[in-house]
Amino acid sequence: MNLKSHLIFTLYTIYGILLKVMASKGKARGISGQYPLVQNVTVTEGGTANMTCRVEYNDNTSLQWSNPAQQTLFFGDKKALRDNRIELVHASWSELTISINDVTLTDDGMYTCSLFTMPVRTAKAYLTVLGVPEKPEIDGLTKPALEGDDITLTCMTQGSKPAADLRWFRNEKEVKGAKEVNASGKTFTVRSSLQLHVDRNDDGVAYTCKVDHVALAQTPQQATEVLEVHYAPRVQIVHSLAVPQEGQYLKLECVSKGNPSPDPVMWTKDGGELPDLDRMIVEGRELTFTSLNKTDNGTYRCEAGNHLGTSSAEYVLYVYDPPTTLPPSTTPPLHSIPPDPTRASDRTVTDSRDPNALGQHGTDHALIGGVVAVVVFVTLCLIIVLGRYLARHKGTYLTNEAKGADDAPDADTAIINAEGNHAHAEEKKEYFI
Ligand SMILES: *[C@@H]1O[C@H](CO)[C@@H](O)[C@H](O)[C@H]1NC(C)=O
Ligand SMILES: *[C@@H]1O[C@H](CO)[C@@H](O)[C@H](O)[C@H]1NC(C)=O
Ligand SMILES: *[C@@H]1O[C@H](CO)[C@@H](O)[C@H](O)[C@H]1NC(C)=O
Ligand SMILES: *[C@@H]1O[C@H](CO)[C@@H](O)[C@H](O)[C@H]1NC(C)=O
Ligand SMILES: *[C@@H]1O[C@H](CO)[C@@H](O)[C@H](O)[C@H]1NC(C)=O
Ligand SMILES: *[C@@H]1O[C@H](CO)[C@@H](O)[C@H](O)[C@H]1NC(C)=O
């Protein structure tokens, strides 16, 4: 007994010393870089993850990789866990690299590399497994939809990790949807819904749901639905002439848009059938008059329908006189008034009817008359004034004859004035009368 216990004690002591030595050795080496180095790894599910653990300075101490469940995968170059997907890539004193093939979401987690120094040194590497979103699906589409319907398109994708983003596009233009994310296990289910009030403009419009995700760098996932909207037709008549005149060519086109397409369209005149004339041709949606005639006057109606309804449009045709050589500025109603529209009568009508021209001439005449009247009046006035002036002047002159002496500045002049006064007076009298 005594010997046995002594032996055990000795063994324990030796073991303890060994451990101490190893520990001190490890400590010494640890300072100079004896510790494992790892890196986080991100891999898409189905791919391969290489887990590498390195030691800068190693004294032949073993390295080990273990999984998130603390199971040893590789101890040095020795495989520990039976899993065909896990392989050794490289094992040396300074590196232990293993690969996990065909990675699944359950492989996601914290992996540990251990260096069996005393104490054991570890490093944690996180393996992130990306969940690839499934191809999205669009729900909620009724085909065909009816104009006025309210529909909600829902796009859904499952299996993404992290949660994918969904975006909606209406013919390449992004529109906003309402996103909702639900976690299911390790992955996410993402839904996005789009509410639409459908109208005829949505017919043939493509709605696309695109999935954005880190795991979809090269192969973007998307789904597209093209709306089919049924709506009652809307009819419109397009005509080729603004002022139809006799003898002209006229085309009426019945433009009808509806889904399903309202074919064929129906033409009527004044509520009845179209007259059977060679000049009038119906071809598809078009009604053509090769040469208009006044007897074509009337209301033309085109009607189109589908199972959702019927629509019609009317065109009132009024055929004017054939074009004359007069400039086109003459208004059409003038043409219909003269019963015999020869060129001469047309011109007279235009002339006699032009109140502007008449007014202009009248003002001219009045102006001339006024000027003449003023001139005559002024002339008469002048004559009268002149006449009176002359008459008065003559009187004064005659009285001056007698006063000649009084007016003279001196005696000599007065005498001369008095002497020649008579002869002078006679001369002047003759001259003036
Ligand atoms: C993993 O390591 C092997 C061998 O070195 C290499 O062929 C492979 O490309 C590596 N894979 C990845 C994902 O790094
Ligand atoms: C490590 O082991 C190898 C043999 O496998 C040996 O040659 C070498 O000297 C050892 N190195 C140390 C530091 O113990
Ligand atoms: C590795 O991933 C873990 C968990 O995501 C994180 O806490 C850690 O900082 C990462 N380490 C490095 C070196 O990126
Ligand atoms: C998803 O989330 C919605 C509400 O956001 C909830 O009504 C629904 O039950 C959830 N589905 C699952 C499968 O968890
Ligand atoms: C218009 O039609 C009538 C009879 O239908 C015909 O007598 C007349 O000559 C036509 N006028 C023209 C300009 O073609
Ligand atoms: C057609 O219009 C012309 C005027 O351009 C008129 O003289 C004629 O009476 C009209 N005919 C009918 C049938 O309405």
Side-chain angles (χ1 to χ4, degrees):
M1 272 309 248
N2 213 2
L3 189 82
K4 201 177 173 185
S5 62
H6 195 84
L7 204 74
I8 287 166
F9 175 78
T10 314
L11 278 171
Y12 263 109
T13 315
I14 291 166
Y15 187 63
I17 288 164
L18 269 171
L19 282 178
K20 263 179 197 163
V21 166
M22 279 174 82
S24 64
K25 234 178 167 180
K27 242 177 220 164
R29 291 290 180 167
I31 294 158
S32 56
Q34 195 179 16
Y35 45 83
L37 289 168
V38 294
Q39 275 183 326
N40 284 350
V41 175
T42 298
V43 65
T44 302
E45 60 178 329
T48 298
N50 282 355
M51 310 294 293
T52 298
C53 183
R54 284 197 177 87
V55 190
E56 225 176 311
Y57 304 104
N58 197 357
D59 53 357
N60 291 357
T61 308
S62 295
L63 283 166
Q64 171 195 288
W65 269 116
S66 55
N67 68 10
Q70 311 291 335
Q71 296 167 310
T72 301
L73 302 176
F74 268 91
F75 181 82
D77 56 1
K78 308 264 180 328
K79 190 170 181 170
L81 188 74
R82 221 184 253 176
D83 186 336
N84 293 336
R85 302 180 301 125
I86 300 168
E87 289 170 1
L88 182 68
V89 175
H90 183 79
S92 71
W93 294 120
S94 61
E95 181 189 327
L96 178 60
T97 299
I98 59 166
S99 71
I100 308 168
N101 301 308
D102 197 13
V103 168
T104 66
L105 289 163
T106 54
D107 294 325
D108 189 273
M110 199 77 89
Y111 287 71
T112 309
C113 175
S114 307
L115 176 67
F116 284 91
T117 48
M118 248 336 193
V120 176
R121 291 167 192 272
T122 61
K124 309 251 182 224
Y126 202 92
L127 173 61
T128 305
V129 181
L130 301 176
V132 182
E134 286 171 15
K135 192 171 162 51
E137 278 174 24
I138 296 177
D139 265 347
L141 190 66
T142 44
K143 257 192 171 178
L146 299 184
E147 186 171 39
D149 278 358
D150 284 304
I151 62 174
T152 302
L153 296 182
T154 304
C155 178
M156 187 191 72
T157 178
Q158 289 180 301
S160 60
K161 178 181 167 292
D165 193 21
L166 293 181
R167 292 193 296 158
W168 281 103
F169 294 84
R170 182 187 194 274
N171 282 348
E172 313 297 319
K173 190 178 174 289
E174 187 160 4
V175 287
K176 194 142 177 63
K179 198 172 79 170
E180 176 195 320
V181 180
N182 277 11
S184 50
K186 287 200 168 205
T187 65
F188 298 91
T189 297
V190 185
R191 269 187 204 85
S192 182
S193 49
L194 199 60
Q195 300 211 338
L196 303 174
H197 182 74
V198 175
D199 70 19
R200 58 187 59 206
N201 297 321
D202 288 313
D203 189 40
V205 168
Y207 280 91
T208 301
C209 170
K210 278 187 190 165
V211 183
D212 279 346
H213 194 263
V214 277
L216 296 175
Q218 298 98 346
T219 51
Q221 299 268 50
Q222 64 179 59
T224 298
E225 286 286 355
V226 177
L227 290 199
E228 192 192 337
V229 182
H230 277 185
Y231 53 96
R234 217 173 266 173
V235 176
Q236 196 191 345
I237 295 176
V238 177
H239 51 92
S240 61
L241 290 175
V243 181
Q245 290 168 322
E246 201 158 46
Q248 282 184 324
Y249 170 93
L250 172 69
K251 187 169 88 177
L252 300 180
E253 191 186 347
C254 184
V255 181
S256 64
K257 265 205 88 182
N259 190 17
S261 184
D263 229 11
V265 300
M266 199 173 73
W267 285 100
T268 52
K269 182 191 177 186
D270 298 325
E273 275 184 28
L274 287 182
D276 189 21
L277 292 171
D278 287 342
R279 300 182 290 105
M280 224 181 263
I281 303 158
V282 175
E283 207 178 320
R285 301 170 178 279
E286 291 172 5
L287 170 58
T288 314
F289 300 83
T290 52
S291 172
L292 285 172
N293 190 303
K294 280 188 187 178
T295 56
D296 296 333
N297 286 3
T299 301
Y300 290 84
R301 185 184 164 93
C302 126
E303 195 175 282
N306 60 18
H307 70 280
L308 291 169
T310 304
S311 168
S312 64
E314 286 184 349
Y315 174 79
V316 178
L317 177 63
Y318 188 86
V319 181
Y320 294 105
D321 278 336
T324 64
T325 49
L326 274 178
S329 62
T330 322
T331 51
L334 263 173
H335 279 272
S336 61
I337 290 160
D340 181 26
T342 64
R343 256 183 280 162
S345 75
D346 242 26
R347 211 172 274 161
T348 20
V349 166
T350 315
D351 263 349
S352 67
R353 275 174 170 242
D354 195 345
N356 251 342
L358 237 167
Q360 200 103 26
H361 284 235
T363 10
D364 282 351
H365 287 163
L367 204 77
I368 291 163
V371 169
V372 168
V374 167
V375 168
V376 167
F377 180 73
V378 168
T379 313
L380 276 171
C381 287
L382 272 174
I383 287 167
I384 291 164
V385 168
L386 213 71
R388 277 196 184 178
Y389 174 78
L390 284 178
R392 203 192 291 171
H393 212 298
K394 208 167 148 188
T396 330
Y397 197 81
L398 287 170
T399 42
N400 269 352
E401 274 178 301
K403 281 185 182 170
D406 300 359
D407 281 346
D410 54 49
D412 284 334
T413 320
I415 291 159
I416 291 163
N417 274 356
E419 273 175 356
N421 231 350
H422 208 73
H424 261 263
E426 283 304 319
E427 254 180 64
K428 287 240 165 123
K429 216 175 184 179
E430 269 170 23
Y431 180 82
F432 276 113
I433 290 163

